[in-house]
Amino acid sequence: MSGGPSRGRAWLLGALGVGLHVAAFPPLSLWPLALLAPWPLALLALEARSSGRAFWRLYLAGVAIFVLGSWWLGATSPVNLAIVSLVDALWFGAFGWAAHRALSRRAALPALPLIWTAHEMLRINVPLSGYPWQLLGQALAANRAAGPAADIGGG
């Protein structure tokens, strides 16, 4: 098999993951897409040849997510948008690296939500990070049933 089809698949998975993630937030606010967004991104990482490539694939997807989802920062200064996008996308890269390492055995795929949640928790709690936008849980908050469920299950 040549590199063409797999490269095309990688671009498709990346675009799908970015699109689902961004569409879950305003102005589209299609919150159910937040439940699907991690899956194409995880496949993008899993199908990489190495953990390092998985990191870079997800880093680029993260840059796109932050540029498209935080475009309003550009109104304050394009430098602000660039800094947030380039720095916080490192967390998506870390997710890609971890997903490739931990989920390479397909039997481990049920751990994906745990890895995604850990990546988001680290992103908002590690010093010098903490950009509190584009967290998938925020998109789910638009669901009226999710709020009461968080009271029962935590959140």
Side-chain angles (χ1 to χ4, degrees):
M1 178 192 278
S2 68
S6 64
R7 182 172 293 164
R9 179 171 164 83
W11 281 104
L12 179 64
L13 287 171
L16 183 60
V18 169
L20 290 171
H21 196 287
V22 173
F25 292 93
L28 297 178
S29 299
L30 302 172
W31 63 265
L33 298 181
L35 299 170
L36 302 174
W39 294 100
L41 295 174
L43 285 174
L44 183 63
L46 285 172
E47 294 179 4
R49 291 184 190 157
S50 67
S51 299
R53 284 187 184 232
F55 174 90
W56 288 109
R57 283 179 168 195
L58 271 290
Y59 175 76
L60 292 175
V63 169
I65 285 169
F66 283 112
V67 166
L68 295 172
S70 302
W71 58 268
W72 53 271
L73 276 174
T76 63
S77 168
V79 173
N80 292 341
L81 179 59
I83 290 171
V84 164
S85 299
L86 295 174
V87 172
D88 274 334
L90 291 168
W91 288 106
F92 277 84
F95 166 77
W97 179 87
H100 188 272
R101 304 277 300 178
L103 305 177
S104 60
R105 292 182 210 102
R106 301 286 183 187
L109 279 176
L112 172 61
L114 177 65
I115 295 170
W116 185 272
T117 302
H119 132 261
E120 287 196 341
M121 292 302 295
L122 286 169
R123 183 163 67 91
I124 61 172
N125 288 305
V126 170
L128 301 178
S129 185
Y131 181 68
W133 276 268
Q134 303 302 315
L135 301 168
L136 289 181
Q138 293 169 333
L140 295 173
N143 177 355
R144 292 186 181 185
D151 290 343
I152 297 168

